[in-house]
Amino acid sequence: MSVLVYTENWDGKFKKSTYELLSYASEIAKMANTEVSALTIGEVAEDELKTLGTYGASKVLVLKDEKLKDFIAKSYSSAISQVAKKEDAKIVVFANSVSGRALAARTAVQLDAGFAPGVMQLPSSLEPFVVRKKAYSGKAFADYELMADVKVLSLTQNSFELIENAKDIAIEETSVEIHDEDLRAKPKNVEKQTGKLLITEAEILVSAGRGLKGPENWGMIEEMAEILGAATCCSRPVADLGWRPHEEHVGQTGKVVAPNLYFAIGISGAIQHLAGVNGSKVMVAINTDPEAPFFEAADYGIVGDAFKVVPALNEALKKFKAGQ
Amino acid sequence: MKVLLCISHVPDTTSRIRFTDNDTAFDKTDIQYIIGPHEELALTRLLEVKEQIGDLNITVLNVGTAETEPTIRKALAVGADDAIRVDAEPTDALFVAKQIAEVFKNGDFDFIVTGKETIDFNGAQVGEMVAELLDLPSISSTSHFEIKDGKALLEREIDGGKEEIEVDFPFVSTAGKGFAIEPRIPSMRGIMQARRKPLKVVQPVEQAAKTKVNKFYLPEPKGACKMVDAENVEELIRLLHEEAKVL
Ligand SMILES: Cc1cc2nc3c(=O)[nH]c(=O)nc-3n(C[C@H](O)[C@H](O)[C@H](O)COP(=O)(O)OP(=O)(O)OC[C@H]3O[C@@H](n4cnc5c(N)ncnc54)[C@H](O)[C@@H]3O)c2cc1C
């Protein structure tokens, strides 16, 4: 038995979330007294593959198949399930990203497994297998018990720290059988920004709401993100009004995020917004209204006009960064 | 054309969440239930598509006890044509997926739409499980949906971008952000009509649970928010750097 991790690559590169995933899987493998294998699909340079060993993988399986050129949930999950069976993997770990979640659910059905989506911690015990996840959109947590022989987990991004655990990693090619009918729903057109910092991966998020009055005022928000190496995001009305793209919408009906630091600028702090962001380690609210509900959830707050506070903060941040 | 729209019956998004029975069960006291927000948007979009193409019958499906009927009736009032309720207390996501797959097999539906995730269990798994059980293609987190010249044209969100997909029937689409913007609300006439629309109750098929919740927890209460003067942003930076250690 082993722990198998599906490590997605972006044009041959891994991201921080990949290493979080491996760190998580190798801690589970330690508990279970076994090894971690990573599986990646497509062309990845050997040096990049070796980085997986730094975080505890003792083997990486590389799957190169013309049929797996496009990401299709059905064909990818079929490939992953076949490898899991070959490897006798009893625990299969995915990232809880858009694609990872879809793959995990399908893989769980194929492997007749129990599936815990969006876990945030190591299992508290392996027998019975109990692991904690969020419930009620971040308003609560639940201890999930998986009762099947095979367990599938998807790990919430930014919820597990990187743990170095260097291994001599073996690189092996593997193969699977993909049927043509698994290739239905092939994308016609893909727009993907590989270099962009994803909202779900960023350690710092600068988020702004309707208090900013209009899309023309986002320059200072983008500037702040730039200074901090952060990503920008927004409240739902801001996305609905078309001020910002939909993928920036965070909250109960948008993305659920858990950065180290979350700036909420001109956001009231509605319960549906907080549900998606209260996994953040530290939250800062900047709002003109001292009664804004966000101040009840935030760790630090400034009562003030964003149009004055944010430019001043940007200048001070530049100085701070220059002095570091 | 016929679509099976699977809706969840979930606590209103403003609900304060509490638990009972030693934190093993959700406390339903004073809770208002709604159609899951993603499914509500899905219904809105499907009604727009129906208005464009004319021929689209929308069947809403819920797996739940009789308690969920007001939620189902609401979907009928918004404009769905008929409804099916699988009479069972769901045990886990696979159980629900199995029931949906069974209803699909016993009907003559052309495609299935579910929400991308429920707001109570946040599994984001039922739609994909249904697709897997039925061996159908799936488009998860669909952000745009249309039917043109008998073809389904969809967009879906991916990590860091989007994809356009043209897919043959049948398929499963899970509705995410962008599927529709503002949910439709029922009209008085809709509410009257909904009472007479067919709601069929069917019996569940067996599926042993593979997961269960042992215990729920509420988050630890937060400490008080430390206020910083608006004229002194340097102090905020100092606190974030020295105290919180996040800068
Ligand atoms: C089913 C459902 C699901 C929802 N899901 C989500 C979700 O996922 N995410 C989400 O965000 N919302 C969601 N909402 C909407 C949510 O209820 C709120 O309406 C929304 O979060 C409010 O956005 P906001 O804070 O940007 O705007 P507002 O509530 O309008 O708040 C603007 C804030 O800006 C402040 N402000 C004004 N001017 C300034 C200034 N110059 N400087 C500083 N501050 C200023 C104001 O004091 C106010 O607090 C959902 C609602 C429903 C019903």
Side-chain angles (χ1 to χ4, degrees):
Chain A
M1 102 85 141
S2 69
V3 177
L4 181 69
V5 185
Y6 171 62
T7 51
E8 183 174 357
N9 67 78
W10 284 261
D11 291 340
K13 292 275 178 252
F14 297 117
K15 293 197 178 185
K16 191 182 125 242
S17 62
T18 313
Y19 305 120
E20 279 170 17
L21 213 53
L22 282 167
S23 305
Y24 181 78
S26 29
E27 291 302 306
I28 296 186
K30 274 188 211 158
M31 292 170 74
N33 241 326
T34 181
E35 300 285 311
V36 176
S37 307
L39 166 65
T40 197
I41 298 177
E43 207 62 57
V44 182
E46 197 177 311
D47 279 353
E48 186 74 6
L49 289 174
K50 283 192 174 150
T51 62
L52 301 177
T54 314
Y55 296 96
S58 45
K59 176 158 80 176
V60 53
L61 298 152
V62 183
L63 189 50
K64 293 179 196 164
D65 190 322
E66 242 332 273
K67 288 188 174 164
L68 297 172
K69 205 165 72 44
D70 292 306
F71 172 81
I72 298 170
K74 176 74 190 151
S75 55
Y76 269 52
S77 59
S78 160
I80 296 165
S81 306
Q82 289 176 49
V83 172
K85 282 183 190 149
K86 263 202 271 188
E87 293 291 307
D88 192 28
K90 293 286 184 246
I91 300 173
V92 187
V93 187
F94 294 83
N96 197 41
S97 58
V98 180
S99 51
R101 260 195 312 242
L103 293 176
R106 281 191 176 257
T107 303
V109 173
Q110 288 174 29
L111 298 177
D112 215 11
F115 173 31
V119 298
M120 316 159 54
Q121 299 177 354
L122 288 171
S124 55
S125 87
L126 294 185
E127 281 177 42
F129 195 98
V130 179
V131 64
R132 190 167 296 186
K133 74 179 284 288
K134 277 194 187 187
Y136 295 94
S137 302
K139 292 177 192 171
F141 304 100
D143 275 351
Y144 243 52
E145 182 175 336
L146 304 186
M147 299 176 291
D149 181 36
V150 179
K151 284 92 183 166
V152 172
L153 310 171
S154 66
L155 176 69
T156 303
Q157 285 113 315
N158 268 327
S159 62
F160 202 75
E161 61 186 337
L162 297 181
I163 303 172
E164 286 200 20
N165 175 15
K167 294 262 161 104
D168 267 332
I169 190 168
I171 299 175
E172 287 174 24
E173 283 213 21
T174 187
S175 64
V176 294
E177 206 184 321
I178 300 296
H179 302 285
D180 285 337
E181 64 266 23
D182 293 346
L183 302 174
R184 292 166 292 177
K186 211 187 180 83
K188 279 205 315 188
N189 191 14
V190 183
E191 281 172 39
K192 195 168 176 174
Q193 287 174 288
T194 29
K196 195 172 149 191
L197 181 61
L198 297 180
I199 290 170
T200 45
E201 297 224 341
E203 288 180 14
I204 303 181
L205 287 174
V206 182
S207 187
R210 199 150 52 182
L212 256 67
K213 314 275 190 292
E216 65 282 5
N217 297 325
W218 249 262
M220 61 184 189
I221 302 297
E222 280 167 352
E223 187 187 358
M224 185 164 159
E226 169 101 36
I227 300 168
L228 292 170
T232 55
C233 55
C234 67
S235 68
R236 171 163 139 168
V238 166
D240 284 356
L241 289 162
W243 295 359
R244 299 297 292 176
H246 282 313
E247 59 267 21
E248 287 202 359
H249 160 195
V250 296
Q252 187 157 24
T253 49
K255 291 201 168 69
V256 174
V257 294
N260 285 337
L261 178 56
Y262 183 84
F263 284 94
I265 302 168
I267 298 177
S268 57
I271 191 163
Q272 298 96 344
H273 184 88
L274 293 176
V277 305
N278 62 11
S280 310
K281 281 161 207 97
V282 174
M283 298 204 283
V284 178
I286 300 175
N287 200 305
T288 40
D289 175 9
E291 304 291 317
F294 217 117
F295 289 121
E296 277 162 44
D299 302 278
Y300 300 99
I302 293 184
V303 177
D305 182 350
F307 295 99
K308 297 206 183 88
V309 175
V310 176
L313 190 55
N314 283 350
E315 287 315 308
L317 282 168
K318 274 188 220 159
K319 282 201 202 109
F320 169 75
K321 285 279 168 184
Q324 262 193 323
Chain B
M1 221 168 245
K2 290 185 77 170
V3 54
L4 186 62
L5 169 62
C6 311
I7 63 169
S8 61
H9 159 87
V10 290
D12 182 278
T13 55
T14 57
S15 309
R16 282 212 175 271
I17 303 297
R18 276 177 258 112
F19 301 103
T20 66
D21 295 346
N22 276 328
D23 292 332
T24 57
F26 177 66
D27 184 353
K28 297 180 180 174
T29 323
D30 296 334
I31 294 285
Q32 295 278 346
Y33 282 87
I34 57 168
I35 306 172
H38 295 104
E39 298 92 89
E40 201 181 16
L41 293 178
L43 175 57
T44 301
R45 181 63 194 154
L46 291 170
L47 288 165
E48 290 167 7
V49 170
K50 182 186 171 101
E51 282 150 19
Q52 282 162 13
I53 66 169
D55 160 40
L56 182 65
N57 186 89
I58 305 170
T59 302
V60 287
L61 167 64
N62 173 265
V63 181
T65 60
E67 249 174 56
T68 74
E69 287 204 1
T71 302
I72 299 175
R73 288 277 174 215
K74 184 176 169 209
L76 292 171
V78 173
D81 296 286
D82 49 64
I84 300 172
R85 180 171 67 81
V86 178
D87 188 24
E89 181 76 70
T91 45
D92 68 355
L94 184 63
F95 177 88
V96 174
K98 183 74 180 251
Q99 309 310 322
I100 296 171
E102 200 63 23
V103 169
F104 181 82
K105 280 192 229 157
N106 295 332
D108 53 351
F109 301 99
D110 296 284
F111 62 105
I112 301 176
V113 177
T114 71
K116 124 178 134 69
E117 71 179 296
T118 57
I119 61 166
D120 49 4
F121 283 98
N122 305 105
Q125 49 184 323
V126 170
E128 292 295 334
M129 285 182 164
V130 170
E132 191 57 45
L133 290 170
L134 292 168
D135 197 12
L136 293 179
S138 56
I139 298 93
S140 55
S141 281
T142 308
S143 51
H144 179 74
F145 183 94
E146 76 186 285
I147 295 177
K148 217 176 189 169
D149 307 324
K151 291 223 168 240
L153 307 173
L154 291 79
E155 277 176 24
R156 75 178 201 95
E157 189 195 348
I158 54 174
D159 300 294
K162 64 176 183 185
E163 282 177 358
E164 285 170 27
I165 296 164
E166 183 181 307
V167 63
D168 291 326
F169 297 95
F171 60 85
V172 179
S173 155
T174 79
K177 181 73 196 164
F179 208 89
I181 305 294
E182 271 297 311
R184 279 197 197 181
I185 47 170
S187 64
M188 210 46 224
R189 189 157 155 261
I191 295 170
M192 302 297 288
Q193 281 174 339
R195 293 193 192 139
R196 293 189 305 273
K197 286 183 179 170
L199 192 169
K200 195 163 91 184
V201 178
V202 301
Q203 289 311 304
V205 289
E206 241 176 90
Q207 172 63 55
K210 294 199 183 293
T211 67
K212 68 175 190 206
V213 173
N214 286 350
K215 202 174 169 71
F216 289 102
Y217 302 84
L218 291 171
E220 296 287 324
K222 270 255 177 190
C225 180
K226 222 178 228 181
M227 301 307 289
V228 177
D229 190 79
E231 302 295 328
N232 191 6
V233 291
E234 287 78 12
E235 174 63 5
L236 177 66
I237 296 174
R238 191 192 67 78
L239 288 167
L240 293 175
H241 179 59
E242 289 174 11
E243 188 178 81
K245 298 188 172 48
V246 285
L247 267 190

